[in-house]
Amino acid sequence: MELTGRIIAVLPANSGVSARTGNPWMSQEYVIEVPGQYPRKCVFRIFGEDRIKQFNIQNGEDITIQFDIDAHEYNGRWFNEIRAYNVVRGQVPPVAGVAPVAGVAPGASPFPPAPDAATSPFPPAQEPAGEGSADDLPF
């Protein structure tokens, strides 16, 4: 999966030593805002000091993240985790309210043509019977 947007928060890095293996670990979380009519925000995590340094994500940067979603249970409650495994720079987020249509020639409609009445799976719409009709619905 992937998201394209702008980084609006870089949270402090977390680190420690694994109790199971004794190896050190590091992770860092970021907040990305996906543009649109109703902008959405998503927190994602990058695990591993080498990846954190390699991606070098900065606040205000426009990026595309590729990520996996996983869930885990803790004390009877479930939590989602969004873990990014790749960051792509240089892609501009789409303009709010405008959805790009891939693979459509300029001037062509992205929607299939409407079926004619003979092949339509639905009956044709009927004209209203007028006021005071017995089958008038209140809505």
Side-chain angles (χ1 to χ4, degrees):
M1 302 175 128
E2 64 181 41
L3 282 176
T4 300
R6 174 167 286 147
I7 299 297
I8 61 170
V10 177
L11 304 176
N14 298 316
S15 61
V17 177
S18 171
R20 194 179 74 209
T21 64
N23 294 333
W25 58 268
M26 178 182 259
S27 71
Q28 189 164 11
E29 293 181 328
Y30 306 85
V31 180
I32 188 169
E33 183 176 54
V34 179
Q37 183 178 1
Y38 303 104
R40 296 174 291 147
K41 297 172 185 70
C42 180
V43 175
F44 67 94
R45 176 187 313 251
I46 295 181
F47 191 83
E49 184 177 4
D50 55 339
R51 284 190 175 170
I52 293 169
K53 288 181 180 179
Q54 173 191 358
F55 297 146
N56 191 27
I57 298 173
Q58 303 297 316
N59 202 9
E61 194 172 18
D62 292 329
I63 62 172
T64 297
I65 59 165
Q66 297 171 342
F67 61 92
D68 289 324
I69 300 176
D70 193 20
H72 62 277
E73 184 264 339
Y74 180 74
N75 288 340
R77 295 188 62 200
W78 284 88
F79 300 90
N80 290 321
E81 182 176 5
I82 300 172
R83 200 178 272 192
Y85 60 84
N86 193 20
V87 173
V88 179
R89 288 181 168 79
Q91 295 185 1
V92 178
V95 176
V98 177
V101 178
V104 177
S109 173
F111 303 105
D116 62 355
T119 61
S120 175
F122 302 106
Q126 296 178 356
E127 295 296 321
E131 288 189 352
S133 174
D135 60 342
D136 279 347
L137 297 176
F139 52 88

